[in-house]
Structure formats: structure tokens, C-alpha cells
Amino acid sequence: TTTQESPTAAGSGSSATEAFRASTLHSGAGTDPARVSAIVSKLLAGIHDVVRDESVTYPEFQAAKQWLIEVGEGGEWPLFLDVFVEHAVEEVAARTQDGTKGTILGPYYLPGQARLATPATLPQRPDEKGVPLVFTGHVRDTDGRPLAHAELDVWQADEQGYYSGFAPHLPDGNLRGLVVTDAEGRFEIHTIQPAPYQVPTDGPTGKLITAADWHPWRPAHLHLLVSAPGHRTITTQLYFKGGQWLDSDVADATKPELVLNPADQGDGTTAVDYDFVLEPA
Ligand code: MBD
Ligand code: FE
């Protein structure tokens, strides 16, 4: 066996910060002073309440300050916020969303992947490990009409739980792809089942998790952005029935509607069908 270099928290964390900076995710928020004041006042009041309720001491306050500095220096704000805060933001967005359930985006999306006609095989190494998975389905609108040329932007961890673009030993674009549905709205994606994801334990987010005696795991998942012209894009993830950490996701981002149950094909491979429903934009 060969020794594989594993990504350090510093590597994946700062890469996530670079990816976020290069994205347009942070544009589009307003700057209405009343809105800023309402949100920040409540945020600070919540912190003040914790300080009083828990009788937070000066050493604890200064340790928190030190930790916050390290999160920034390590580039881990995208990781920390997507793991511990994004699920609540998604919950609010979901109040007005119809069709397939969404869930959090997370810090490891990278735009600009290869466009692949269906049936598609996600780019992978010649010796890519993991149980093969054939993932098929349709993309339809809320009236049940198939959406031809809809796009499924897919990304996932490998069989060791690492994402390309954020782990130095993986080729760019590995297990990422933009799959386009055919004229009947159908897609077929050949890939492997990912492993659960572990928040890197050597960075500030991981150190906090260890200090609090929590666990750092997310259940195995596929990420998807499903889109079609004139329709609201769905950001979601699909999980695997019976998988470890399904009921205790550190990022609190699982939903029962998003759990796949792939069928064993009897030859060491698995297959599953799942349909997506997009609402009008
Ligand atoms: C992940 O792989 C992920 O999906 C989320 C939401 C946070 C951290 C790592
Ligand atoms: Fe993920």
C-alpha cells in the first residue's frame, strides 16, 4: 500500500476561504441599517445572555477571543459557519421552497466543472476505491413535466472522505461534474459511494469539537445543485440508508426525504433511482 498524504485542516480550511472569496455567494445582501441593527443587536444580546447565564469568566472570554483569531488565521470560517450555522439559514429558506427538499451547500462546492451528457461517469482516478453506484432519475417541474437539459452539478467526497480541490493528493475535478438531463429529463450518473466526512481535527474547528467532547462526523453524502432555466435551483444532499452518523450529523443537515437506499446489484455494485422536482423561479 502507498502512504497517502492527508489534507491538513490548514490546507482544506484556507482553500475553502479562497473558494468562497472567488464565489459570488457573498453578493446580493442588502445594507439597510435597520436590518443590520436588528440582526446584530439580537446576536450580541444572545452572547450577553450566555455570558450571564453561564457566568463566563475572563480567562474563558480571552480563550474565546484567541480561538476566534485562530479560526480566521486558519481560513476556517467557511467550514465553521457551514457546519454549525448554515442549517438554520437553510431552514428559513426552506419555508418558501416547494419541490425536492434542500439542505446546506457546505464549504466544498467548486463551480466550473466539466459538462457531461447523460449517461455520465464522474471524473475519477483509474484506481478509484469505493462501492460503485449508478444513480439514475428524472428532473421534473412541480406539475410533473420532465425538464430536458436540466443540470445536476454534483460533488462528493471519495472513499476516504476527501474532496478534490481541498485535499492536495486528489486531482482537480475528481468526483465532480455537471450532468445534463436528456430530452426526457432523465439522468444517469456513474460514481462511487462516498465515505463519511470528518471535520479536520487539527484545526480550530476540530479543536473546539474535541474540547467540547462532540464528534466531528457528517454521514456519507452526495452534494447536488439541480437547476433548469425558469426554475428555482435546489441545493441539496443525498445520504445513504443505514449509514453511520445519519442521526447525529455534526452539521445537522440530514432530512428523511433525502436518504437513498441503493440496491445491491449482486456483483459488488449498487444502483439507486431518485427524482428531483423544481418549482418555478
Ligand atoms: C462537508 O462535506 C459538508 O458537506 C459540510 C456541509 C460541511 C463540512 C464538510
Ligand atoms: Fe460535504
Side-chain angles (χ1 to χ4, degrees):
T1 66
T2 56
T3 310
Q4 286 208 321
E5 192 189 342
S6 76
T8 60
S12 53
S14 56
S15 299
T17 291
E18 292 315 310
F20 181 76
R21 285 200 141 114
S23 78
T24 55
L25 294 167
H26 39 68
S27 64
T31 53
D32 174 13
R35 182 83 176 142
V36 175
S37 179
I39 293 169
V40 179
S41 296
K42 282 190 182 170
L43 189 56
L44 293 173
I47 294 171
H48 304 153
D49 283 348
V50 172
V51 170
R52 293 186 193 102
D53 291 354
E54 293 295 328
S55 301
V56 172
T57 65
Y58 260 98
E60 288 169 339
F61 170 63
Q62 305 299 8
K65 201 185 290 179
Q66 176 62 26
W67 178 83
L68 287 161
I69 291 167
E70 285 169 17
V71 174
E73 285 176 348
E76 282 199 11
W77 280 118
L79 176 68
F80 177 83
L81 291 168
D82 293 354
V83 167
F84 290 112
V85 182
E86 191 184 353
H87 67 86
V89 180
E90 194 283 326
E91 191 182 309
V92 172
R95 289 176 189 163
T96 63
Q97 178 150 23
D98 207 4
T100 302
K101 295 282 182 201
T103 189
I104 66 178
L105 177 70
Y108 298 142
Y109 172 64
L110 291 174
Q113 300 305 320
R115 252 180 107 82
L116 309 166
T118 196
T121 300
L122 293 191
Q124 49 192 273
R125 294 163 288 178
D127 58 345
E128 195 71 48
K129 304 286 189 296
V131 177
L133 174 70
V134 180
F135 173 32
T136 55
H138 287 81
V139 181
R140 297 193 179 91
D141 66 17
T142 41
D143 293 325
R145 286 184 297 244
L147 291 169
H149 315 302
E151 295 182 353
L152 297 98
D153 203 340
V154 184
W155 69 106
Q156 64 169 96
D158 69 5
E159 189 260 345
Q160 292 197 107
Y162 295 128
Y163 285 89
S164 65
F166 301 92
H169 67 286
L170 296 177
D172 282 349
N174 204 240
L175 297 175
R176 296 174 181 269
L178 210 165
V179 181
V180 183
T181 61
D182 66 16
E184 282 77 51
R186 190 174 179 280
F187 65 87
E188 177 174 325
I189 302 169
H190 295 247
T191 183
I192 54 111
Q193 292 198 203
Y197 171 85
Q198 182 180 26
V199 174
T201 50
D202 56 336
T205 304
K207 282 183 189 163
L208 171 71
I209 289 169
T210 303
D213 206 13
W214 301 336
H215 83 247
W217 294 95
R218 298 211 60 224
H221 55 276
L222 305 173
H223 288 270
L224 297 115
L225 288 174
V226 186
S227 64
H231 294 79
R232 181 166 167 181
T233 298
I234 286 183
T235 301
T236 196
Q237 301 182 34
L238 295 172
Y239 304 91
F240 296 88
K241 188 179 175 188
Q244 215 175 354
W245 319 110
L246 249 190
D247 300 320
S248 63
D249 180 5
V250 66
D252 209 354
T254 65
K255 299 185 184 186
E257 298 88 344
L258 299 177
V259 179
L260 299 174
N261 188 188
D264 206 314
Q265 300 303 96
D267 59 357
T269 74
T270 59
V272 71
D273 207 68
Y274 191 90
D275 292 341
F276 296 93
V277 178
L278 302 188
E279 67 179 345

